[in-house]
Amino acid sequence: MLNDKVKHELITIVGADNVQDSKASLLVYSYDATPQFQSMPDAVVAPRNTDEVAEVLKLCNEHHIPVVPRGSGTNLSAGTTPVEGGIVLLFKHMQDIIEIDEENLTVTVQPGLITLDLINAVEAKGLFYPPDPSSMKISTMGGNLNENSGGLRGLKYGVTRDYVMGLEVVLPNGDIIHTGGKLAKDVAGYDLTRLFVGSEGTLGVITEATLKLVPMPETKKTILALYEDIEAAAEAVSSIIAHRIIPTTLEFLDQPTLKVVEEYAQIGLPTDIEAVLLIEQDGPQEVVDRDIEKIAALCRDNQAIRVDVAKSELEADALRTARRTALSALARLKPTTILEDATVPRSKIAEMVRAINDIAREYKVDICTFGHAGDGNLHPTCLTDVRNKEEIHRVEQAFEAIFHQAVELGGTITGEHGVGAMKSPYLHLKLGDEGIAAMKGIKQAFDPNNIMNPGKMFAKSERKRVVVHA
Ligand SMILES: Cc1cc2nc3c(=O)[nH]c(=O)nc-3n(C[C@H](O)[C@H](O)[C@H](O)COP(=O)(O)OP(=O)(O)OC[C@H]3O[C@@H](n4cnc5c(N)ncnc54)[C@H](O)[C@@H]3O)c2cc1C
């Protein structure tokens, strides 16, 4: 608990303007983008630099006060809900691009930087930072790093982890460590960089990151393949990959998602078909032309009723933007939108889509599906109402069945949204008790007082969503 003495010490470290504890500000930070989770913090603290982060952590460690690092709160796994109270740590004063190094092709950033600001800044120099989560207009690099976020370009270019070369991290005891760096090769000791990426704020606070950049691809082309059979679309995904073509983007939207997205974006998407694949390839012109031609042929072989090539970059951009709005568009339909991200090997996409539809029918719930099909990363999204307890119970049963199915097909309970508080009760499905014990050992070594984002990753008890303590 945060007593007056600790509050005074926090003010001494970061200044009075950077410690908030009014009821209104605590309420604002009591939830994130995840439905059904809410819990009040005791204070909201915004350090101005790494040294202040270190001082804050040292103080909290001494007094066993939970620390919840928070970027923009767009995570979908209750990763920033302060389920055990304590302080929410903001990075609004740490949003800089420290350096773009054009010789080593790296960029060094602070955690509060908005993802799209980074992408735009490096593109202005003819360089490319591929990870592009759909939330990139608002998500921060601290959030991307800690969730190991993916995006539309993940199939060809990988996810955030694949671009992280070095980190500055403040450990719970206030020690500041540096992992990796600008080196293309570095095997000195354990790979702590990889350990911190995707650690969901449970091991320490990332205060700086050095990221790899690649040259901008010469050109790109986008196509839309239309299907009257949802499973044929899923088969086409497997077929493209099996023919050894790796597009930049291979996204899937089912009919309910298409309808809602078109209503919202109004760009002339077809809404009378069962599914579409949005496919993009980039690279040298001749490679792009050749691949797009082959991809179009494979889509037709797999029962596409039409394949349209975007006529201009403007049209292609409208298609990409429409896909990125899928969640926001769906969220307008019902009071509660629950989006999951069960993931399977690419070859199992058709089977997984079929299973999701069967499960939705069995539990009588509305599930729309879209997602990064090329990554096997689907987003079955349930439109529901949290006030309808009976329906919510069925929704939870349906999602549990979906997680079981994904793991049975060799997949996982989350491909990019993280475990947080929301999926912690299901982590054992993927890791088993021994896997969880190994991870708990790592957590204990870094954070023996369990101050870093407690209540996340490891389940205390069975699934419990609405947690409010004011
Ligand atoms: C509309 C929408 C679309 C989305 N699309 C995608 C998508 O395409 N791909 C995808 O992967 N995700 C997506 N997401 C999920 C989410 O946007 C990502 O997980 C994103 O990386 C979170 O960034 P954030 O700044 O909001 O982080 P937050 O939600 O604030 O935090 C995320 C996690 O990072 C930790 N954290 C934040 N900063 C630090 C730090 N400096 N040090 C230590 N821990 C820290 C937090 O404690 C928390 O565990 C989407 C979400 C929405 C709402």
Side-chain angles (χ1 to χ4, degrees):
M1 191 54 195
L2 204 68
N3 58 34
D4 284 348
K5 184 170 171 289
V6 176
K7 189 181 154 194
H8 181 73
E9 287 185 52
L10 282 171
I11 290 173
T12 308
I13 298 168
V14 299
D17 288 349
N18 292 314
V19 178
Q20 303 166 45
D21 62 355
S22 69
K23 187 110 185 184
S25 51
L26 299 184
L27 196 61
V28 167
Y29 294 101
S30 65
Y31 60 90
D32 53 36
T34 323
Q36 294 177 270
F37 281 87
Q38 191 181 17
S39 182
M40 296 291 265
D42 297 307
V44 181
V45 178
R48 291 164 291 193
N49 52 50
T50 301
D51 288 340
E52 288 187 2
V53 173
E55 286 302 306
V56 169
L57 258 59
K58 216 163 152 185
L59 179 69
C60 289
N61 201 33
E62 225 169 84
H63 295 273
H64 293 209
I65 295 166
V67 177
V68 182
R70 178 177 168 122
S72 295
T74 66
N75 75 86
L76 296 161
S77 52
T80 44
T81 315
V83 290
E84 298 190 10
I87 67 164
V88 169
L89 206 62
L90 300 183
F91 302 99
K92 62 181 182 181
H93 300 303
M94 299 173 73
Q95 303 189 327
D96 287 344
I97 294 179
I98 295 169
E99 181 197 34
I100 299 178
D101 180 341
E102 295 187 62
E103 278 180 27
N104 286 303
L105 296 190
T106 61
V107 57
T108 301
V109 303
Q110 291 190 307
L113 180 70
I114 299 294
T115 315
L116 189 60
D117 291 345
L118 162 66
I119 290 175
N120 287 340
V122 301
E123 287 191 2
K125 292 187 180 289
L127 292 166
F128 191 40
Y129 177 72
D132 60 340
S134 298
S135 51
M136 65 186 182
K137 276 189 189 165
I138 177 174
S139 70
T140 64
M141 290 311 299
N144 288 184
L145 290 159
N146 277 279
E147 299 289 5
N148 189 14
S149 298
L152 264 59
R153 305 191 279 237
L155 174 56
K156 181 169 179 175
Y157 289 103
V159 295
T160 302
R161 175 183 55 219
D162 302 308
Y163 294 85
V164 188
M165 299 180 72
L167 295 173
E168 179 184 80
V169 181
V170 180
L171 299 180
N173 64 4
D175 284 355
I176 300 169
I177 63 166
H178 293 89
T179 75
K182 292 181 180 177
L183 302 160
K185 288 177 131 185
D186 179 7
V187 291
Y190 295 139
D191 190 346
L192 294 181
T193 309
R194 284 233 161 185
L195 179 60
F196 279 99
V197 175
S199 63
E200 302 187 22
T202 62
L203 298 179
V205 174
I206 295 178
T207 46
E208 214 174 282
T210 297
L211 308 163
K212 182 171 84 172
L213 301 174
V214 294
M216 271 292 267
E218 185 185 304
T219 187
K220 56 188 171 192
K221 229 176 203 178
T222 307
I223 60 173
L224 209 56
L226 280 47
Y227 288 87
E228 265 171 357
D229 179 345
I230 199 167
E231 285 161 23
E235 298 284 0
V237 173
S238 302
S239 168
I240 293 166
I241 309 280
H243 280 79
R244 293 163 177 53
I245 304 171
I246 308 293
T248 314
T249 296
L250 217 178
E251 296 287 308
F252 168 90
L253 289 90
D254 70 1
Q255 193 197 30
T257 313
L258 267 175
K259 269 190 172 163
V260 180
V261 166
E262 174 54 18
E263 235 176 72
Y264 183 69
Q266 306 212 342
I267 58 162
L269 283 171
T271 54
D272 54 347
I273 41 133
E274 281 301 303
V276 300
L277 294 178
L278 172 68
I279 309 169
E280 188 165 290
Q281 181 60 302
D282 68 6
Q285 186 76 54
E286 60 278 16
V287 175
V288 171
D289 288 344
R290 187 196 62 203
D291 282 359
I292 287 290
E293 206 173 296
K294 273 196 202 162
I295 291 168
L298 287 168
C299 289
R300 287 191 197 97
D301 289 350
N302 282 280
Q303 300 173 44
I305 53 161
R306 230 173 71 200
V307 179
D308 295 337
V309 181
K311 289 177 201 67
S312 62
E313 178 46 26
L314 209 64
E315 192 179 320
D317 197 46
L319 290 172
R320 284 191 291 270
T321 305
R323 157 59 188 91
R324 287 198 173 102
T325 61
L327 173 57
S328 324
L330 286 168
R332 295 155 72 231
L333 293 191
K334 287 261 187 100
T336 311
T337 312
I338 302 180
L339 174 139
E340 289 291 357
D341 72 329
T343 302
V344 292
R346 291 161 187 157
S347 58
K348 304 284 184 188
I349 275 281
E351 220 171 310
M352 191 63 201
V353 168
R354 223 173 290 139
I356 291 171
N357 292 339
D358 289 347
I359 290 167
R361 267 190 298 275
E362 184 183 342
Y363 290 97
K364 299 187 179 58
V365 291
D366 289 334
I367 295 187
C368 303
T369 301
F370 63 96
H372 317 293
D375 300 334
N377 182 200
L378 293 171
H379 292 314
T381 302
C382 191
L383 309 172
T384 179
D385 185 343
V386 68
R387 293 164 297 189
N388 183 342
K389 298 273 179 278
E390 186 275 327
E391 182 172 295
I392 284 289
H393 182 61
R394 278 186 282 118
V395 170
E396 299 210 337
Q397 284 178 315
F399 276 125
E400 187 161 350
I402 288 172
F403 296 146
H404 276 279
Q405 182 66 34
V407 172
E408 234 164 73
L409 291 174
T412 182
I413 59 168
T414 171
E416 60 181 19
H417 292 163
V419 177
M422 186 177 176
K423 270 187 263 197
S424 59
Y426 303 112
L427 190 61
H428 69 278
L429 293 179
K430 172 71 180 137
L431 296 178
D433 292 341
E434 298 80 1
I436 289 183
M439 286 201 186
K440 280 188 171 168
I442 292 170
K443 168 77 173 164
Q444 172 70 18
F446 278 94
D447 184 19
N449 293 330
N450 192 26
I451 63 159
M452 289 308 307
N453 213 357
K456 312 295 161 62
M457 198 81 82
F458 307 111
K460 273 201 171 144
S461 57
E462 68 194 62
R463 193 168 202 185
K464 202 161 128 217
R465 284 187 171 232
V466 188
V467 201
V468 186
H469 38 110

